[in-house]
Amino acid sequence: MSLQICPKCTHKAITWSLDEESSPYTQWRCSHCHYLAEENEQKESACPCCASSSGCLLLRDSSGVHRWCISCGRFEDTEESFT
């Protein structure tokens, strides 16, 4: 599992894990700033910025719901339903 650039602190320190016993969602955690978010894998989409076909993830954290592209780093709030 490779490290990605964290959408909050921009350090290459975020990685994912999956524990289906505790949550049906993929967990993203940053080892640098301790950012924590859940990803709904069923709602991946193409990035409108870089056209990555499946790299735009739907994340939910303590401040709301966001779209994050792991290819270009685009991170923005969204009104989309997480579930």
Side-chain angles (χ1 to χ4, degrees):
M1 174 177 349
S2 66
L3 293 174
Q4 300 292 328
I5 295 174
C6 177
K8 289 293 182 179
C9 72
T10 67
H11 283 84
K12 193 170 186 174
I14 194 168
T15 189
W16 62 270
S17 65
L18 184 60
D19 183 356
E20 293 176 350
E21 290 183 18
S22 67
S23 174
Y25 302 113
T26 302
Q27 305 289 307
W28 286 88
R29 288 184 174 86
C30 178
S31 62
H32 185 263
C33 72
H34 306 290
Y35 176 68
L36 175 63
E38 295 180 312
E39 171 197 354
N40 185 337
E41 290 186 24
Q42 295 178 345
K43 297 207 174 184
E44 286 184 11
S45 68
C47 178
C49 187
C50 73
S52 171
S53 62
S54 64
C56 198
L57 313 179
L58 187 65
L59 299 181
R60 175 175 63 188
D61 62 23
S62 61
S63 66
V65 179
H66 319 280
R67 276 281 172 194
W68 175 44
C69 180
I70 60 173
S71 295
C72 71
R74 181 174 180 240
F75 186 75
E76 65 181 18
D77 294 343
T78 182
E79 296 295 321
E80 292 178 65
S81 170
F82 184 77
T83 55

